[in-house]
Structures are given as structure tokens and as C-alpha cells.
Amino acid sequence: MQIEQLPRLVKLSTEKGLIYAVAQADCYRDLTNRGLITEQNIHTHLEQNTLTQILDAQATQEMDFYDNQVSFSALLCAPEKIFCIGVNYTNRNEEYQDGQETPKNPSVFMRTADSFTGHKQNLIRPPESEQFDYEGEIVIIIGKGGRRIPQAEANKHIAGLTLGNDGTLRDWVRYAKFNVTQGKNFEKSGAIGPALIPSRHFDRFDRLALTTTINGEIRQNDTTEKLLFPFAKLIHYLSIFTRLKPGDIIFTGTPTGAGARFNPPKYLTAGDVIEIASPQIGQLENRVADEKVAG
């Protein structure tokens, strides 16, 4: 089945306000104002694995909105934690050419919710940097939470997948000796969406394709077969030191081909269009705009 035909969860801005909806092709049925999926109960549905049942049942009903009546919001289910995994594709690790051995554990950093925007919304390039870069990623949304989750059970804790752009201000990730927090958290410098595809639609998670295209030019092209740390390992590892909770988000890493790795670098400028795509998950599209600063 084509991805557009799958019942999938989206978050939309509409005349009725911000809502969760089921998407079917280019039509949307409001779940929030029907009391089915709300900010108050979505974590329960993620944890109890009832989200899929609601999406399947509601996708066959009359739709409320069409594409030209809505805009996408960042697909964030009020996460307590947003984890990002660095250097997680084999050739991405080799890209650094630092002579270090393959890492034994994932590199982890965190982002804030307001550093993301939604599908077809502008990514904002701040005036403090001219080194705005893209990082296309496949993103896990946690369903059932837990501590010290065994790898053999880890995939059962995935509610679904979406796409993300871990947008980065490269010079700002080097402002301090040991962390990258500043360069990863500028407001609306990243994106997430457009939809959550429930995990039941995936036979396996180790053969997912991922591409990033800038103005029609393919820059990143890889599959999750090349992950140093597959999804199950990431969930297991993170749950050792923190309790994963429904709605928590894991950006699983970006392939080789980010703008900083070209000679000379190919950083983003205003008007650039970024398309992050996976045939199994969908396509996340954003345009870059310069931030308007008063004065």
C-alpha cells in the first residue's frame, strides 16, 4: 500500500485550532474535537497501543479538512525527552577521519521542543551564524515506556516512526569544549513530521531507506541497515540511565552528506528547499527563511 493511503497521525493548525487528525490521502479527520486524540490522552493511547485502532476506524469516516484548509504543526506529542543520536551510520563515523575506533556506545545529546517546526513550515536561519546545516533522520516515537528495556523486547516499545531534520548551526556546536547543545537548539532550526506511521506497518526496522534532497540535489542516501546502533540497541541503551515514557522521541542519526562535509561546505541559505524522504514513512519538506530581528 502507498504511504498516502495508510491511516496516519498528523498534527494540524486549523480554523478549529491545533488538532490531532488522521490523514488519508490529502484529507484529514479531526480527532481532537471528537475527544478521541487530545493532548490530555495521547500518551495513554501511545502506551496502551490503542492509537492504531482509532486511526484505522476513523480513516473510513467522513473527512473534515483538505490540504488547502490546514497547515502542519511539529509532530510532537508533548514529549518529556527528545534524544538525538550522533554519528550513527557506519560511513558517517568514517567521514570524521579522526583515527578513532568505532564507538562501543551511542553518542547522545538532547533538543528542546521549540527548536522544531512542522512539515512545509519555514526553517529559521538565525543572524548569528552562516553555517546552517541539515541532517535528515528517521525518528522513533516511544509508545510503552520503561527502564532497562531488553534489546529483544525494545521494538515493542515503538509506537511509530516519522521523519526529522536535526538542523544544526555548525559553528555554535563548537562554542564549548564538550557539548553541542547550543548549535542544536536554535528556535525552529529543525523539523519533525509530517506524520506518525504506526509501528504495525513495518515488518522490520533495519531496511528503511532515507534520502535528503536540497533544491532537487540528493545529498544524503542510505538505509538503516548501515546503523552502528539499531533501534533496539538505542532504546535499550537510553533506558538504562533514564525511564523512557510514552511520547519520548529519538532521532536515530543522519547519514553521510551533510553540508559541512563538502569542500567547500554547502550550508543552507534563505529560499533553499529541503526534502527528507523515506518510501516507508513519507516526505518532510521545509524551506529556509532568514530570521527577522527587530532593529
Side-chain angles (χ1 to χ4, degrees), residues 8-12 18-23 37 39 42 46 51 55 71-79 82 113 116-121 139-142 160-164 190-198 247-251 281 284 286:
R8 55 207 191 278
L9 184 73
V10 295
K11 198 171 186 181
L12 304 174
L18 196 63
I19 65 168
Y20 289 105
V22 58
I37 303 291
E39 293 290 1
I42 189 166
L46 290 170
L51 182 65
L55 295 179
S71 60
F72 285 81
S73 180
L75 185 66
L76 296 167
C77 305
I82 304 172
F116 294 104
T117 191
H119 175 55
K120 292 189 175 179
Q121 304 304 305
V139 179
I140 295 169
I141 297 178
I142 293 294
L161 302 180
T162 190
L163 297 170
I192 185 169
L196 182 155
I197 309 299
D248 283 351
I249 288 171
I250 305 171
F251 276 65
I281 304 173
L284 172 65
N286 299 95

Side-chain angles (χ1 to χ4, degrees), residues 167-183:
T168 305
L169 285 302
R170 293 293 178 196
D171 46 351
W172 276 73
V173 301
R174 303 182 187 93
Y175 264 31
K177 186 173 182 180
F178 294 118
N179 66 72
V180 300
T181 298
Q182 303 94 313

Side-chain angles (χ1 to χ4, degrees), residues 14-257:
T14 73
E15 62 183 14
K16 295 183 179 181
L18 196 63
I19 65 168
Y20 289 105
V22 58
Q24 185 78 5
D26 61 350
C27 307
Y28 309 94
R29 181 170 171 83
D30 184 348
L31 302 178
T32 295
N33 287 298
R34 289 184 170 88
L36 296 170
I37 303 291
T38 67
E39 293 290 1
Q40 290 71 40
N41 69 22
I42 189 166
H43 288 180
T44 299
H45 288 299
L46 290 170
E47 184 171 32
Q48 297 180 354
N49 198 28
T50 51
L51 182 65
T52 299
Q53 299 169 18
I54 295 173
L55 295 179
D56 288 349
Q58 293 297 310
T60 62
Q61 305 300 310
E62 183 179 357
M63 294 291 154
D64 299 304
F65 299 104
Y66 294 92
D67 264 345
N68 62 356
Q69 298 173 300
V70 303
S71 60
F72 285 81
S73 180
L75 185 66
L76 296 167
C77 305
E80 181 179 278
K81 298 178 285 293
I82 304 172
F83 294 104
C84 300
I85 308 301
V87 196
N88 196 26
Y89 283 78
T90 53
N91 53 6
R92 178 92 164 105
N93 187 60
E94 295 162 3
E95 190 177 49
Y96 275 77
Q97 297 180 350
D98 56 8
Q100 295 185 7
E101 296 181 359
T102 301
K104 294 180 174 59
N105 293 299
S107 298
V108 182
F109 58 92
M110 301 184 76
R111 289 189 68 138
T112 59
D114 65 0
S115 70
F116 294 104
T117 191
H119 175 55
K120 292 189 175 179
Q121 304 304 305
N122 286 339
L123 294 176
I124 303 302
R125 188 179 76 149
E128 288 83 4
S129 175
E130 295 183 355
Q131 297 184 17
F132 189 24
D133 208 351
Y134 54 87
E135 294 188 10
E137 308 202 16
I138 292 172
V139 179
I140 295 169
I141 297 178
I142 293 294
K144 181 182 177 182
R147 279 290 309 276
R148 300 181 179 90
I149 298 168
Q151 286 194 58
E153 300 294 318
N155 286 346
K156 297 177 183 178
H157 291 253
I158 298 175
L161 302 180
T162 190
L163 297 170
N165 184 348
D166 184 22
T168 305
L169 285 302
R170 293 293 178 196
D171 46 351
W172 276 73
V173 301
R174 303 182 187 93
Y175 264 31
K177 186 173 182 180
F178 294 118
N179 66 72
V180 300
T181 298
Q182 303 94 313
K184 294 287 188 176
N185 281 285
F186 274 78
E187 188 174 19
K188 295 183 179 180
S189 58
I192 185 169
L196 182 155
I197 309 299
S199 59
R200 77 173 183 87
H201 294 298
F202 301 93
D203 294 329
R204 53 197 301 173
F205 295 121
D206 61 351
R207 293 182 181 174
L208 302 175
L210 178 67
T211 61
T212 302
T213 303
I214 310 297
N215 302 326
E217 176 191 355
I218 293 179
R219 300 276 185 86
Q220 297 181 297
N221 186 6
D222 217 326
T223 76
T224 52
E225 288 181 288
K226 301 288 186 63
L227 289 178
L228 287 171
F229 305 103
F231 293 179
K233 170 66 175 178
L234 296 178
I235 291 169
H236 165 69
Y237 179 77
L238 294 170
S239 71
I240 291 172
F241 66 84
T242 189
R243 181 172 298 279
L244 292 180
K245 297 182 180 179
D248 283 351
I249 288 171
I250 305 171
F251 276 65
T252 60
T254 196
T256 186

